[in-house]
Amino acid sequence: MKILVVGGGGREHALCWALAASPLCDELYCAPGNAGIAEEATCLEIAADDVDALVKAASDKAVDLVVVGPEAPLVAGLVDALEAAGIRAFGPSKAAAELEGSKAFAKYLCDQHGIPTAAFQRFTDPAEAKAYVASQPLPIVVKADGLAAGKGVTVCQSHAEAERAIEEALVDKRFGAAGDSVIVEECLTGQEVSAFALVDGDTALMLPCAQDHKAAYDGDTGPNTGGMGAYSPTPLVDEATAEVIQSTILQPTVDAMKAEGRPFKGLLYAGLMMTPDGPKVLEYNVRFGDPECQVLMMRLMSDLLPALLAACDGVLDSFDMRWFAETAVSVVLAARGYPGSYEKGEAIGGLEALKELDDVIAFHAGTKADGDGTVRSNGGRVLTMTALGGSIEEARQRAYTAIDQIDWPGGFCRRDIGWHALGKLTIETED
Ligand SMILES: Nc1ncnc2c1ncn2[C@@H]1O[C@H](COP(=O)(O)OP(=O)(O)O)[C@@H](O)[C@H]1O
Ligand SMILES: [Mg+2]
């Protein structure tokens, strides 16, 4: 088969790595890809959100399956355009991608279909939103409705802070149209877990859970990022808890989307708060997380390609996937300054030697190769060092030992990825 992966981050490198290993995969393309992906796939110079050019490339190359990594092209309708051109695509339609594209829609869906989530109200009028906030206990959460690159949510400790967050979205238009409405919601307490399912419109096939680290610096301090690290499994989710997540959240969400006339196909990612009353939905994403995808691919024992095809073809109910019981940890190496401004084009050494190592892979994110083969930084998140080990300690040690072999003075990483789990590794870690 000929496969095209859309995107160029660590997530897409992990997907390409897994797909390239499939005996069913004859030719692998990636648009736009990166220096690491170029070792697995033929990279096409097409931006991940250039819907017309992607459809044309897929049809010119007679691609059998397109796998869409990032959310922007999904929300823009890439899968609809591909299917209209007769090309099979893994990912939700534009209507189904609203689950991520609009937090208001996600809240409506949970509300209508009894899926546990924080109590909330939606507002377009700043005065009404502020009046509501004044009547609510603290802390309180204000969220811009649309895609805001991880910057649209404020957990507010004071009413004044909440009023500012409301003004920034509704009056100052800090998020553009993504902030035309806001959700004001109850602040939940607990630890956060990322739950995943492959979905074919009817069936949610649950994958192992993961935990991620969004803050830039150690101790969960500093600005919010796209993600600085992840690990799977998490001691927070034993088999019984996984069953609760599957039966109260993942499958009900798939049923609800079908009932709403927006059947969901692709990868469903539920961001959950493990509250004293059970898991509740914080948000949905409609694609693999980055770097959560890297830890999942590292743990995947089965062939990824037939699983994605089963989701596209509506036959997940008779499908099963196998996972290594080991723990995978992914640590992001980012350019100093990220998520603010940073340098690009710096040479990154030490990558060749890592290829010899077992159980660790340097999945590339923002990298670009020179004519002479030198790998250079080309984005904020640059490498996602992903390791498998018999315990979280062992996986961490492998990931950090590999990171210490990278020669790139301009990079930084968190040193505490997995620390949430380390204090509580008394539970058997089989998902
Ligand atoms: N209701 C809530 N209660 C407590 N914390 C929340 C709540 N909603 C969001 N958060 C926090 O804000 C983060 C970002 O919110 P989320 O809804 O995941 O938006 P996004 O990922 O689009 O920025 C969450 O990971 C969580 O830490
Ligand atoms: Mg989130």
Side-chain angles (χ1 to χ4, degrees):
M1 297 183 77
K2 294 186 187 177
I3 319 289
L4 167 62
V5 173
V6 175
R11 165 181 50 209
E12 289 77 21
H13 189 186
L15 291 171
C16 284
W17 172 75
L19 290 168
S22 171
L24 298 174
C25 178
D26 298 311
E27 276 179 58
L28 185 60
Y29 299 97
C30 187
N34 60 37
I37 291 173
E39 297 186 6
E40 307 281 0
T42 305
C43 293
L44 308 175
E45 270 183 59
I46 304 172
D49 56 1
D50 189 342
V51 171
D52 292 343
L54 290 167
V55 174
K56 183 171 186 309
S59 110
D60 287 352
K61 301 206 177 297
V63 159
D64 299 293
L65 174 71
V66 178
V67 179
V68 186
E71 63 276 19
L74 294 168
V75 172
L78 174 58
V79 167
D80 311 64
L82 287 164
E83 287 176 350
I87 301 161
R88 186 151 58 173
F90 177 81
S93 65
K94 181 180 174 136
E98 259 218 86
L99 206 48
E100 175 165 1
S102 166
K103 290 191 190 293
F105 173 68
K107 296 300 288 190
Y108 156 86
L109 191 87
C110 290
D111 195 40
Q112 287 292 304
H113 298 270
I115 299 164
T117 191
F120 74 101
Q121 294 279 332
R122 173 172 177 263
F123 298 96
T124 52
D125 179 76
E128 284 175 26
K130 288 183 198 173
Y132 175 73
V133 156
S135 73
Q136 295 298 307
L138 295 168
I140 187 135
V141 183
V142 177
K143 301 186 170 188
D145 176 36
L147 293 182
K151 297 191 169 65
V153 173
T154 317
V155 179
C156 308
Q157 302 299 333
S158 69
H159 289 118
E161 192 182 359
E163 289 187 10
R164 256 196 320 277
I166 289 165
E167 287 211 353
E168 276 184 1
L170 293 180
V171 182
D172 306 343
K173 296 283 168 207
R174 182 178 163 208
F175 310 109
D180 284 347
S181 70
V182 295
I183 305 291
V184 179
E185 74 178 31
E186 169 199 13
C187 188
L188 301 175
T189 54
Q191 289 217 59
E192 289 180 45
V193 162
S194 304
F196 308 95
L198 277 185
V199 181
D200 66 358
D202 288 297
T203 300
L205 176 65
M206 191 176 181
L207 315 185
C209 291
Q211 276 186 278
D212 69 345
H213 298 259
K214 288 278 188 233
Y217 312 133
D218 283 9
D220 283 338
T221 59
N224 210 24
T225 70
M228 294 300 289
Y231 54 96
S232 170
T234 156
L236 290 179
V237 183
D238 58 14
E239 230 172 273
T241 310
E243 178 50 37
V244 171
I245 293 170
Q246 165 70 7
S247 63
T248 66
I249 290 167
L250 296 173
Q251 188 61 49
T253 301
V254 172
D255 296 341
M257 290 299 282
K258 192 178 174 189
E260 293 285 332
R262 308 181 191 219
F264 189 96
K265 165 173 67 72
L267 191 286
L268 177 65
Y269 171 154
L272 306 177
M273 187 72 90
M274 308 305 281
T275 77
D277 304 327
K280 294 190 179 181
V281 174
L282 288 174
E283 67 157 348
Y284 293 106
N285 295 317
V286 297
R287 34 76 195 175
F288 283 104
D290 185 344
E292 293 93 324
C293 183
Q294 290 86 313
V295 294
L296 290 180
M297 290 307 114
M298 203 75 171
R299 289 190 60 204
L300 180 61
M301 190 190 296
S302 314
D303 188 342
L304 177 66
L305 182 47
L308 302 186
L309 292 170
C312 293
D313 297 345
V315 296
L316 277 180
D317 58 341
S318 61
F319 204 85
D320 206 5
M321 294 171 90
R322 295 192 63 205
W323 302 89
F324 292 112
E326 279 89 346
T327 297
V329 170
S330 186
V331 180
V332 172
L333 204 53
R336 272 182 212 289
Y338 172 79
S341 58
Y342 50 81
E343 298 291 323
K344 284 186 183 179
E346 296 177 342
I348 299 167
L351 284 163
E352 274 307 311
L354 290 182
K355 290 179 186 162
E356 306 299 315
L357 294 182
D358 286 335
D359 293 330
V360 53
I361 301 183
F363 289 121
H364 289 222
T367 64
K368 200 172 177 175
D370 270 355
D372 67 1
T374 307
V375 172
R376 293 187 182 276
S377 63
N378 192 39
R381 294 191 294 171
V382 172
L383 295 174
T384 55
M385 197 65 77
T386 309
L388 198 62
S391 63
I392 190 151
E393 289 90 339
E394 191 176 60
R396 271 171 51 87
Q397 201 219 327
R398 284 185 182 152
Y400 283 114
T401 303
I403 279 193
D404 292 337
Q405 286 175 249
I406 296 288
D407 180 14
W408 176 33
F412 81 100
C413 67
R414 280 182 62 163
R415 287 278 157 189
D416 63 351
I417 300 306
W419 71 305
H420 288 298
L422 270 171
K424 37 177 75 216
L425 261 181
T426 47
I427 309 170
E428 205 34 61
T429 55
E430 170 80 62
D431 269 353

